[in-house]
Amino acid sequence: MNKRIKYYCFFVLIYVFIIFLSSCNSEINEIKKEEDLIKYKYGYDESKYLFEEKKVGKGDTFGDILEGQGIDYPEIYKAIEKTKNDVDFRKLKIGKPYTLIYTKDSIRKLKAFVYQPSIEEYSLIQLRDSIYAYKDKKERTYKDLSASGTVYNSLYENLGEQGLEPKIYVDLTNRLADIYAWTIDFFRIDKGDQFKVIYTQAFVDDTIPVEITKIKAAYFLHKGAERYAFEYETDSIKGIVEYLDQDAKNLRRAFLQSPIKFGSISSRYNLRRRIAYYGNRIRPHKGTDFAAPVGTPILSTANGTITEVSYTRANGRYVKVKHNNTYTTQYLHMRKSNVKVGQFIEQGDVIGWVGMTGNTSGPHVCYRFWKNGIQVDPFKQKLPEAKPIKESLKKKYFSDIVLIKSELDSVIIKNKTSI
Ligand SMILES: [Zn+2]
């Protein structure tokens, strides 16, 4: 542990040193470069040690690997005993990477062993001079990146075609869907819709992507209308961050557009629907059906209180939510519900899962919407907006977004053909 502390102190000193230099003379660039040349990997000077990267093979144990490096069993035992409270190498997983660090002497000797159970985490044991071990996370670096495209199928497929890692584009798609959940109907996304996004991506080892940490700005051209989204702190005291559009309007609405994240509308609100099953007679459909696989989470579209959790032959298992004196919603044909009568729930909370209980020919959720006691089509309603930004903050907002907006505007939209 002492060596690590020394190592960190060394860096802090260099840092202070550089700040000091940069404030007083012009030779700093040269000096900075020299300091930068010392590169460390897992705390070991890269010019003084050799690093060998390997992967755990079938049946490999910590003891086997070390024995194969000429360390005999009593020594291995001593090392394990001494460090057993700090690290645990008893269960190495097949396929996970490990690194052997050797001294550059005439006879190369194994100095340390580093096991990497995940992209970010590692466990290190130093085997010579002084024996010690610790677990740590690799240092992250952050980069702002952009993605863009013209939608030909779904947003999801489109981002996948840009060569992004699957985990990253699933994350990006979900975040975009969250930002625009209130303002763009992702079930009605049109061929030819265009989007751009600037996001911050965390990396380890400079090149291995870990996760997206935030969406800084986005742009959607949907049905000919431009809709920007800028991440903005609207309340610095409470630390509230919202997405606002180019007119400083909150993108959040009191209601989500849909009770499921992804899927498709299979039947809309239609008072003149004719159904073959009923001899082609008019059977009004006062709900919107969202088809999705059984087990898909059903989200409450707004904050509210659960007023019914029940089962009928027609509705199957269903949940009803009272949002306020004006609005009530209902969700039918659930496989299972996740709430109790009287429970308060927030927008986006999972209230049940898609099923096919009751009168239904396939898995879907029938979403019903009441305004002042009358069933209406939620897609035809002008739904209330979330709290608008304070007037006093507007001017600052418009000047704060100038730079990021011009960055976003300069992103060239990729067409499917050019990918
Ligand atoms: Zn329905």
mmCIF file of all heavy atoms in Angstrom, residues 267-268 273 285-290 332-333 364-368, ligand 1:
data_model
loop_
_atom_site.group_PDB
_atom_site.id
_atom_site.type_symbol
_atom_site.label_atom_id
_atom_site.label_comp_id
_atom_site.label_asym_id
_atom_site.label_seq_id
_atom_site.Cartn_x
_atom_site.Cartn_y
_atom_site.Cartn_z
ATOM 1 N N SER A 267 -53.303 -1.025 -32.810
ATOM 2 C CA SER A 267 -54.661 -0.536 -33.067
ATOM 3 C C SER A 267 -54.846 0.778 -32.331
ATOM 4 O O SER A 267 -54.553 0.883 -31.146
ATOM 5 C CB SER A 267 -55.675 -1.577 -32.578
ATOM 6 O OG SER A 267 -56.976 -1.037 -32.645
ATOM 7 N N ARG A 268 -55.328 1.775 -33.048
ATOM 8 C CA ARG A 268 -55.507 3.085 -32.430
ATOM 9 C C ARG A 268 -56.921 3.268 -31.928
ATOM 10 O O ARG A 268 -57.832 2.527 -32.263
ATOM 11 C CB ARG A 268 -55.177 4.191 -33.444
ATOM 12 C CG ARG A 268 -53.700 4.302 -33.671
ATOM 13 C CD ARG A 268 -53.324 5.518 -34.467
ATOM 14 N NE ARG A 268 -51.868 5.588 -34.556
ATOM 15 C CZ ARG A 268 -51.105 6.217 -33.687
ATOM 16 N NH1 ARG A 268 -51.633 6.870 -32.682
ATOM 17 N NH2 ARG A 268 -49.800 6.215 -33.822
ATOM 18 N N ARG A 273 -64.544 1.481 -35.377
ATOM 19 C CA ARG A 273 -63.855 0.251 -35.746
ATOM 20 C C ARG A 273 -64.860 -0.875 -35.997
ATOM 21 O O ARG A 273 -65.781 -1.074 -35.208
ATOM 22 C CB ARG A 273 -62.871 -0.171 -34.643
ATOM 23 C CG ARG A 273 -62.118 -1.453 -34.983
ATOM 24 C CD ARG A 273 -61.083 -1.795 -33.971
ATOM 25 N NE ARG A 273 -61.669 -2.174 -32.683
ATOM 26 C CZ ARG A 273 -60.991 -2.802 -31.731
ATOM 27 N NH1 ARG A 273 -59.722 -3.085 -31.897
ATOM 28 N NH2 ARG A 273 -61.581 -3.112 -30.595
ATOM 29 N N HIS A 285 -63.294 1.194 -30.476
ATOM 30 C CA HIS A 285 -62.101 0.868 -29.698
ATOM 31 C C HIS A 285 -61.659 2.144 -29.005
ATOM 32 O O HIS A 285 -61.176 3.074 -29.646
ATOM 33 C CB HIS A 285 -60.993 0.356 -30.620
ATOM 34 C CG HIS A 285 -59.774 -0.079 -29.872
ATOM 35 N ND1 HIS A 285 -58.497 0.214 -30.278
ATOM 36 C CD2 HIS A 285 -59.650 -0.777 -28.716
ATOM 37 C CE1 HIS A 285 -57.643 -0.293 -29.416
ATOM 38 N NE2 HIS A 285 -58.307 -0.901 -28.457
ATOM 39 N N LYS A 286 -61.889 2.193 -27.699
ATOM 40 C CA LYS A 286 -61.583 3.427 -26.970
ATOM 41 C C LYS A 286 -60.219 3.372 -26.290
ATOM 42 O O LYS A 286 -59.978 4.051 -25.308
ATOM 43 C CB LYS A 286 -62.692 3.701 -25.950
ATOM 44 C CG LYS A 286 -64.002 4.073 -26.608
ATOM 45 C CD LYS A 286 -65.020 4.483 -25.576
ATOM 46 C CE LYS A 286 -66.281 4.986 -26.229
ATOM 47 N NZ LYS A 286 -67.307 5.301 -25.220
ATOM 48 N N GLY A 287 -59.375 2.538 -26.828
ATOM 49 C CA GLY A 287 -58.021 2.472 -26.279
ATOM 50 C C GLY A 287 -57.011 2.498 -27.405
ATOM 51 O O GLY A 287 -57.380 2.535 -28.579
ATOM 52 N N THR A 288 -55.737 2.495 -27.040
ATOM 53 C CA THR A 288 -54.673 2.363 -28.030
ATOM 54 C C THR A 288 -53.935 1.080 -27.675
ATOM 55 O O THR A 288 -53.543 0.898 -26.523
ATOM 56 C CB THR A 288 -53.699 3.558 -27.959
ATOM 57 O OG1 THR A 288 -54.470 4.762 -28.029
ATOM 58 C CG2 THR A 288 -52.692 3.525 -29.081
ATOM 59 N N ASP A 289 -53.804 0.194 -28.657
ATOM 60 C CA ASP A 289 -53.115 -1.070 -28.393
ATOM 61 C C ASP A 289 -51.651 -0.977 -28.791
ATOM 62 O O ASP A 289 -51.328 -0.596 -29.910
ATOM 63 C CB ASP A 289 -53.765 -2.208 -29.192
ATOM 64 C CG ASP A 289 -55.157 -2.539 -28.687
ATOM 65 O OD1 ASP A 289 -55.486 -2.116 -27.561
ATOM 66 O OD2 ASP A 289 -55.900 -3.216 -29.415
ATOM 67 N N PHE A 290 -50.796 -1.348 -27.856
ATOM 68 C CA PHE A 290 -49.360 -1.396 -28.129
ATOM 69 C C PHE A 290 -48.940 -2.858 -28.092
ATOM 70 O O PHE A 290 -48.998 -3.488 -27.043
ATOM 71 C CB PHE A 290 -48.572 -0.641 -27.062
ATOM 72 C CG PHE A 290 -48.835 0.847 -27.049
ATOM 73 C CD1 PHE A 290 -49.916 1.375 -26.340
ATOM 74 C CD2 PHE A 290 -47.996 1.707 -27.732
ATOM 75 C CE1 PHE A 290 -50.140 2.742 -26.322
ATOM 76 C CE2 PHE A 290 -48.224 3.072 -27.719
ATOM 77 C CZ PHE A 290 -49.298 3.596 -27.021
ATOM 78 N N LEU A 332 -54.541 -2.716 -19.844
ATOM 79 C CA LEU A 332 -55.205 -4.023 -19.838
ATOM 80 C C LEU A 332 -54.335 -5.184 -20.346
ATOM 81 O O LEU A 332 -53.305 -4.963 -20.962
ATOM 82 C CB LEU A 332 -56.462 -3.975 -20.721
ATOM 83 C CG LEU A 332 -57.402 -2.791 -20.616
ATOM 84 C CD1 LEU A 332 -58.618 -3.019 -21.518
ATOM 85 C CD2 LEU A 332 -57.871 -2.572 -19.185
ATOM 86 N N HIS A 333 -54.878 -6.387 -20.106
ATOM 87 C CA HIS A 333 -54.327 -7.668 -20.599
ATOM 88 C C HIS A 333 -52.947 -8.001 -20.030
ATOM 89 O O HIS A 333 -52.158 -8.684 -20.668
ATOM 90 C CB HIS A 333 -54.258 -7.694 -22.146
ATOM 91 C CG HIS A 333 -55.483 -7.191 -22.830
ATOM 92 N ND1 HIS A 333 -56.742 -7.722 -22.586
ATOM 93 C CD2 HIS A 333 -55.668 -6.194 -23.741
ATOM 94 C CE1 HIS A 333 -57.627 -7.078 -23.330
ATOM 95 N NE2 HIS A 333 -57.010 -6.136 -24.029
ATOM 96 N N HIS A 364 -50.338 -7.764 -26.015
ATOM 97 C CA HIS A 364 -50.308 -6.314 -26.169
ATOM 98 C C HIS A 364 -50.840 -5.672 -24.896
ATOM 99 O O HIS A 364 -51.426 -6.345 -24.051
ATOM 100 C CB HIS A 364 -51.135 -5.857 -27.376
ATOM 101 C CG HIS A 364 -52.630 -5.870 -27.167
ATOM 102 N ND1 HIS A 364 -53.378 -7.024 -27.276
ATOM 103 C CD2 HIS A 364 -53.501 -4.875 -26.879
ATOM 104 C CE1 HIS A 364 -54.651 -6.726 -27.059
ATOM 105 N NE2 HIS A 364 -54.764 -5.424 -26.805
ATOM 106 N N VAL A 365 -50.634 -4.376 -24.768
ATOM 107 C CA VAL A 365 -51.265 -3.646 -23.678
ATOM 108 C C VAL A 365 -52.256 -2.675 -24.312
ATOM 109 O O VAL A 365 -51.943 -1.968 -25.274
ATOM 110 C CB VAL A 365 -50.236 -2.929 -22.754
ATOM 111 C CG1 VAL A 365 -49.272 -2.053 -23.525
ATOM 112 C CG2 VAL A 365 -50.948 -2.099 -21.678
ATOM 113 N N CYS A 366 -53.497 -2.702 -23.819
ATOM 114 C CA CYS A 366 -54.500 -1.759 -24.282
ATOM 115 C C CYS A 366 -54.460 -0.599 -23.291
ATOM 116 O O CYS A 366 -54.640 -0.789 -22.091
ATOM 117 C CB CYS A 366 -55.879 -2.414 -24.315
ATOM 118 S SG CYS A 366 -57.159 -1.299 -24.925
ATOM 119 N N TYR A 367 -54.164 0.575 -23.803
ATOM 120 C CA TYR A 367 -53.965 1.767 -22.970
ATOM 121 C C TYR A 367 -55.180 2.672 -23.112
ATOM 122 O O TYR A 367 -55.545 3.066 -24.213
ATOM 123 C CB TYR A 367 -52.697 2.462 -23.471
ATOM 124 C CG TYR A 367 -52.354 3.787 -22.838
ATOM 125 C CD1 TYR A 367 -52.231 3.925 -21.451
ATOM 126 C CD2 TYR A 367 -52.087 4.900 -23.633
ATOM 127 C CE1 TYR A 367 -51.871 5.142 -20.888
ATOM 128 C CE2 TYR A 367 -51.727 6.123 -23.073
ATOM 129 C CZ TYR A 367 -51.623 6.233 -21.706
ATOM 130 O OH TYR A 367 -51.255 7.427 -21.150
ATOM 131 N N ARG A 368 -55.848 2.934 -21.987
ATOM 132 C CA ARG A 368 -57.047 3.775 -22.023
ATOM 133 C C ARG A 368 -56.827 5.058 -21.248
ATOM 134 O O ARG A 368 -56.146 5.058 -20.224
ATOM 135 C CB ARG A 368 -58.222 2.995 -21.446
ATOM 136 C CG ARG A 368 -58.521 1.809 -22.332
ATOM 137 C CD ARG A 368 -59.727 1.077 -21.869
ATOM 138 N NE ARG A 368 -60.099 0.109 -22.886
ATOM 139 C CZ ARG A 368 -61.110 -0.728 -22.751
ATOM 140 N NH1 ARG A 368 -61.840 -0.713 -21.647
ATOM 141 N NH2 ARG A 368 -61.383 -1.561 -23.709
HETATM 142 ZN ZN ZN B 1 -57.417 -2.155 -26.970
#
